[in-house]
């Protein structure tokens, strides 16, 4: 089955700096890659996703890049703010016509924004 | 629009008991997925339901089961509880499949003593 590795497990950055979280996946058939943010006491919230027909996607301060050949994808957060502090999870899945494969998650990155 | 709701939010059980957790998806969402979250294993996929049918199942023992009702509400059941079943159980809903925007509920925290 799919295996997703996520690094680093903890990331501390100064407010205003950029943060980058990286993930690798093992199944070359995976074609859907979402990123989730989880705050304390809450369920994960989708912040951005990318499909394998696209190399990069941006949404304001957040961007995701995908390298299918190397089987890795990354989350980039620019101009970090205190409210960006949370645990971030990457995931991978196979999206097919009638398919409903579950998401395979990385172990998470605890992002700490230092004031 | 109401979000995904899960009941109960907290639960304490003893080994050998069984437990049933409930999930009400966002109105109009027909796909419901369940995940187990633990500090050691992270988020792991349990199963997914659509139109009252289980379409996919993760790598969990048969003690973990679920069902979905005609109104898309879903329940999961864990029989013969073990200490290792202590976890946060998360439910997520989407329109028709997990690869669309999935909305997670706040989870049910289960403690097995």
């Amino acid at each position: 089955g799919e295996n997703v590795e996520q690094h680093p497990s903890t990331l501390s950055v100064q407010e205003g700096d950029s943060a980058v979280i990286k993930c690798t996946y093992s199944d070359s058939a995976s074609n859907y890659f979402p990123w989730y943010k989880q705050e304390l006491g809450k369920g994960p919230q989708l912040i951005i996703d990318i499909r394998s027909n696209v190399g990069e996607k941006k949404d304001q301060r957040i961007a995701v890049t995908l390298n299918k050949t190397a089987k890795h994808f990354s989350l980039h957060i620019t101009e970090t703010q205190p409210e960006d502090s949370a645990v971030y999870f990457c995931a991978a899945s196979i999206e097919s016509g009638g398919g409903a494969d579950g998401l395979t998650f990385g172990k998470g990155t605890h992002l700490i924004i230092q004031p | 629009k109401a979000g995904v709701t899960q009941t109960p939010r907290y639960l304490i059980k003893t080994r050998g008991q069984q437990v049933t957790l409930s999930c009400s998806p966002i109105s109009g969402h027909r796909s419901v997925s369940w995940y187990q979250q633990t500090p050691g294993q992270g988020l792991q996929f349990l199963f997914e339901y659509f139109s009252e049918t289980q379409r996919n199942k993760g790598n969990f023992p048969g003690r973990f089961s679920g069902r979905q009702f005609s109104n898309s509400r879903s329940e999961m059941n864990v029989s013969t509880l073990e200490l290792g079943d202590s976890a946060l159980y998360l439910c997520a809903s989407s329109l028709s499949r997990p690869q669309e925007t999935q909305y997670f509920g706040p989870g049910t925290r289960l403690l097995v003593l």
Side-chain angles (χ1 to χ4, degrees):
Chain A
E2 175 66 276
N3 182 50
V4 177
E5 303 269 349
Q6 182 172 347
H7 299 280
S9 57
T10 303
L11 179 60
S12 182
V13 302
Q14 290 292 125
E15 184 179 348
D17 287 350
S18 295
V20 180
I21 303 170
K22 299 182 179 182
C23 289
T24 60
Y25 61 98
S26 61
D27 191 344
S28 55
S30 288
N31 54 10
Y32 175 67
F33 308 93
W35 285 88
Y36 286 85
K37 175 184 180 182
Q38 187 173 26
E39 297 173 319
L40 206 59
K42 297 183 179 180
Q45 177 188 9
L46 180 71
I47 55 172
I48 195 167
D49 58 11
I50 192 168
R51 287 174 167 79
S52 60
N53 58 345
V54 174
E56 183 177 2
K57 185 175 179 181
K58 289 177 98 169
D59 182 5
Q60 300 183 334
R61 297 185 298 110
I62 293 173
V64 57
T65 58
L66 171 65
N67 183 326
K68 287 187 293 182
T69 303
K71 289 191 280 189
H72 67 70
F73 55 114
S74 301
L75 176 71
H76 304 253
I77 305 174
T78 59
E79 301 172 12
T80 53
Q81 301 168 0
E83 52 266 35
D84 294 329
S85 293
V87 179
Y88 290 80
F89 293 94
C90 62
S93 180
I94 300 171
E95 181 178 37
S96 57
D101 283 0
L103 304 179
T104 300
F105 284 86
K107 290 289 177 70
T109 295
H110 186 191
L111 177 62
I112 302 165
I113 308 301
Q114 303 278 6
Chain B
K1 193 173 185 179
V4 177
T5 57
Q6 292 187 245
T7 56
R9 291 293 310 277
Y10 304 93
L11 207 48
I12 300 175
K13 292 285 188 179
T14 56
R15 277 181 300 174
Q17 288 187 309
Q18 75 165 18
V19 67
T20 299
L21 313 181
S22 181
C23 170
S24 292
I26 291 172
S27 177
H29 286 193
R30 296 168 66 192
S31 169
V32 175
S33 299
W34 287 89
Y35 295 86
Q36 181 195 65
Q37 186 173 28
T38 60
Q41 298 300 316
L43 275 156
Q44 293 184 285
F45 172 70
L46 280 157
F47 28 65
E48 189 263 355
Y49 285 88
F50 178 83
S51 290
E52 302 178 65
T53 300
Q54 185 183 93
R55 291 195 294 191
N56 208 346
K57 189 178 187 333
N59 190 25
F60 278 82
R63 300 185 297 107
F64 291 81
S65 63
R67 59 178 176 168
Q68 186 181 34
F69 302 95
S70 58
N71 62 357
S72 294
R73 190 177 70 85
S74 177
E75 289 181 346
M76 68 162 281
N77 183 275
V78 188
S79 62
T80 320
L81 284 165
E82 300 177 0
L83 296 179
D85 296 333
S86 294
L88 181 67
Y89 290 89
L90 291 159
C91 162
S93 78
S94 55
L95 281 171
S96 63
R97 62 183 192 275
Q99 292 76 20
E100 295 162 337
T101 302
Q102 273 198 323
Y103 295 87
F104 279 80
T108 293
R109 187 162 296 281
L110 171 65
L111 177 61
V112 182
L113 301 175

